[in-house]
Amino acid sequence: MVNVAIMGHGTVGSGVAELLIEKNERIAKGIKSDINVKYILALRTFDGLSYSDKFINDFNIILNDSEVDIVVETMGGLKPAYDFVKSCLLKGKSVVTSNKELVAAKGAELIKIAEDKNVNFLFEASVGGGIPVLRPMVQCLSANEIFEVKGILNGTTNYILNKMIMDNMDFSVALKLAQDKGYAEKDPTADIEGHDACRKICILAALAFGKHVYPEQVKTEGITNITLSDIDYASSLGYVIKLIGKAKKSSDGSVCVSVRPTLVPKEHLLSGVNGVFNAVSVTGDAVGEVIFYGQGAGKMATASAVVADVMDCAKHLNARKYLSWEEGDENYIKSVDEKTKLFVLFTSSDFDKTLLDITSAFGDVAVIKNKQSGEIALVTNEELESSLNKKIAGIFADSKKILHTL
Ligand code: HSE
């Protein structure tokens, strides 16, 4: 019998409790051992559930109970999650978490403690919700040198952008719907300003390249400045706007990481990732590009990944699973001048002259003209970003918006 304690009973924690308790037989069969949810730590009790007797509000009961082998952390945030998780690992308990903020900020340190104590610290649910991506990347792609990881990493913003694109829905109405469905963070600023996607790309980059990337090192931009008209212009030019997290390793070993609204060509697989779905593309030297796709948020999808980690921990109580990376450093993340195409939106009072300037700077590119608003939108040809920026500054002193393309 393996005893588990769950810390937190919000969207994910309640899903984990339901799955572990209601599907107990199936889970026991899968690991050839019974799993007993012994405690659920929450600020209040929840009456009327089949497991209402399990609620406690004192963390020390879990910490000091030597029968508890595995602790699940679904509280979110750093306080008190960090102290609780660290104490459990130091006590020799394995920990499973869905908390990307915790892993992105403190992953290297917690992994080291788990290694020293010969226990497991697993966090599959912290990236991509229910999509198996971290373990497959580390295990199934382990023969590869990975060069690039990129994708749609936040269900809430993808849901919002999708509603704006398909239903012409207002940003705030779409956000409210995502919150009602339990996709958004407690404070949805973390979703819409890109911080949640940033934490996830930090975790992916750390696993892919072996060194911690701290969220503060990542250039992060959310979707709050994206308007319905940007979406229309992008669509007319053959693109869909998505919030993309990207980590890329150059041949000199330097790593560049970003989160930003990005124009994805309509023919690219990522453009068809809709609603709360996420997709993570991994490029390795032997395998080429692999894409992992599935529900990136939501109660049972995320609980599915957490419970699989609990089962993995239960099967390996005395053996370590190797999901790890080393501490980062301040010079690790660089901004690299790469070849790219940029989307530019600006206003012009002299369309004819501006069109000539565009042709002379960028050659023959598709241009959308809106005579009513005086706006012009285009996607440049591919060039070094520094050179594109120089040209753009030379022609469009009053450019309204510049976005990257995939
Ligand atoms: N708020 C997150 C999202 C939840 O929308 O993707 C899953 O991490």
Side-chain angles (χ1 to χ4, degrees):
M1 160 94 73
V2 178
N3 284 298
V4 175
I6 302 171
M7 303 195 293
H9 193 258
T11 306
V12 180
S14 60
V16 172
E18 280 171 32
L19 205 49
L20 281 176
I21 292 165
E22 285 164 17
K23 308 290 178 204
N24 196 269
E25 236 172 75
R26 185 179 71 207
I27 288 166
K29 227 186 207 173
I31 57 170
K32 298 190 177 67
S33 166
D34 273 340
I35 288 199
N36 172 46
V37 176
K38 191 162 182 186
Y39 306 113
I40 301 176
L41 181 72
L43 292 173
R44 64 180 181 91
T45 54
F46 291 76
D47 297 331
L49 302 173
S50 62
Y51 54 87
S52 289
D53 56 322
K54 298 187 187 289
F55 285 92
I56 55 165
N57 60 15
D58 180 1
F59 165 68
N60 288 309
I61 295 176
I62 296 173
L63 187 66
N64 296 322
D65 186 338
S66 57
E67 286 186 349
V68 172
D69 308 292
I70 302 166
V71 179
V72 175
E73 186 275 304
T74 59
M75 295 183 291
L78 287 182
K79 275 188 185 162
Y82 168 57
D83 286 337
F84 285 7
V85 166
K86 190 170 167 177
S87 308
C88 288
L89 292 170
L90 286 167
K91 273 266 181 180
K93 300 178 191 302
S94 286
V95 174
V96 172
T97 184
S98 57
N99 185 341
K100 49 259 157 157
E101 189 174 354
L102 176 67
V103 182
K106 304 287 183 186
E109 181 194 349
L110 295 171
I111 285 165
K112 176 80 178 54
I113 298 173
E115 274 172 8
D116 291 347
K117 292 287 170 184
N118 198 31
V119 292
N120 285 302
F121 176 56
L122 301 181
F123 39 87
E124 183 65 56
S126 66
V127 179
I131 311 172
V133 56
L134 301 185
R135 214 183 268 87
M137 186 169 82
V138 169
Q139 290 183 349
C140 310
L141 300 181
S142 58
N144 289 263
E145 177 171 9
I146 293 174
F147 296 120
E148 186 176 272
V149 186
K150 61 175 183 277
I152 295 167
L153 305 172
N154 182 268
T156 301
T157 45
N158 203 50
Y159 182 86
I160 293 173
L161 288 171
N162 200 220
K163 285 282 173 199
M164 290 170 80
I165 295 166
M166 305 304 277
D167 303 342
N168 220 28
M169 192 181 276
D170 245 20
F171 180 92
S172 51
V173 180
L175 171 59
K176 173 80 177 48
L177 274 178
Q179 285 177 295
D180 291 347
K181 286 177 180 284
Y183 302 150
E185 297 300 298
K186 261 188 227 151
D187 174 3
T189 318
D191 296 297
I192 60 182
E193 296 295 357
H195 306 308
D196 179 74
C198 168
R199 291 163 189 151
K200 292 166 178 167
I201 196 67
C202 286
I203 298 169
L204 286 165
L207 272 177
F209 308 139
K211 200 160 167 167
H212 201 115
V213 177
Y214 298 96
E216 311 77 69
Q217 296 178 299
V218 178
K219 257 196 191 165
T220 301
E221 191 189 327
I223 62 162
T224 47
N225 289 326
I226 300 299
T227 63
L228 284 172
S229 113
D230 298 335
I231 283 170
D232 281 347
Y233 285 129
S235 177
S236 305
L237 289 160
Y239 295 84
V240 178
I241 300 182
K242 298 281 185 193
L243 185 67
I244 299 287
K246 181 171 162 183
K248 191 168 180 179
K249 185 162 74 177
S250 307
S251 45
D252 67 358
S254 62
V255 169
C256 179
V257 189
S258 62
V259 172
R260 58 197 171 200
T262 302
L263 272 74
V264 178
K266 281 182 182 168
E267 61 275 12
H268 194 285
L269 269 181
L270 290 182
S271 76
V273 175
N274 291 325
V276 74
F277 282 77
N278 285 190
V280 183
S281 146
V282 181
T283 307
D285 59 350
V287 75
E289 186 177 16
V290 174
I291 297 189
F292 301 93
Y293 169 83
Q295 280 194 58
K299 176 172 165 170
M300 294 319 286
T302 311
S304 149
V306 174
V307 171
D309 271 355
V310 171
M311 293 167 74
D312 209 2
C313 276
K315 275 196 279 189
H316 297 96
L317 278 181
N318 297 309
R320 287 253 317 118
K321 302 285 294 179
Y322 287 93
L323 246 67
S324 68
W325 58 79
E326 59 184 62
E327 289 283 359
D329 66 66
E330 58 184 28
N331 300 319
Y332 177 47
I333 302 302
K334 303 240 164 59
S335 108
V336 178
D337 191 16
E338 277 191 311
K339 279 194 166 179
T340 186
K341 294 179 181 183
L342 294 176
F343 165 88
V344 193
L345 174 66
F346 58 98
T347 41
S348 164
S349 49
D350 184 347
F351 270 25
D352 292 339
K353 174 174 181 315
T354 310
L355 289 177
L356 284 176
D357 287 345
I358 290 171
T359 312
S360 96
F362 303 114
D364 194 13
V365 292
V367 175
I368 309 287
K369 293 162 275 183
N370 184 337
K371 289 231 158 112
Q372 234 175 352
S373 64
E375 286 175 332
I376 292 184
L378 63 97
V379 172
T380 66
N381 281 324
E382 194 170 76
E383 251 180 78
L384 277 180
E385 192 174 335
S386 57
S387 143
L388 286 175
N389 280 328
K390 256 188 226 149
K391 288 182 179 178
I392 290 168
I395 309 174
F396 321 121
D398 58 348
S399 71
K400 290 173 74 172
K401 194 166 281 175
I402 300 175
L403 296 172
H404 284 76
T405 60
L406 196 67

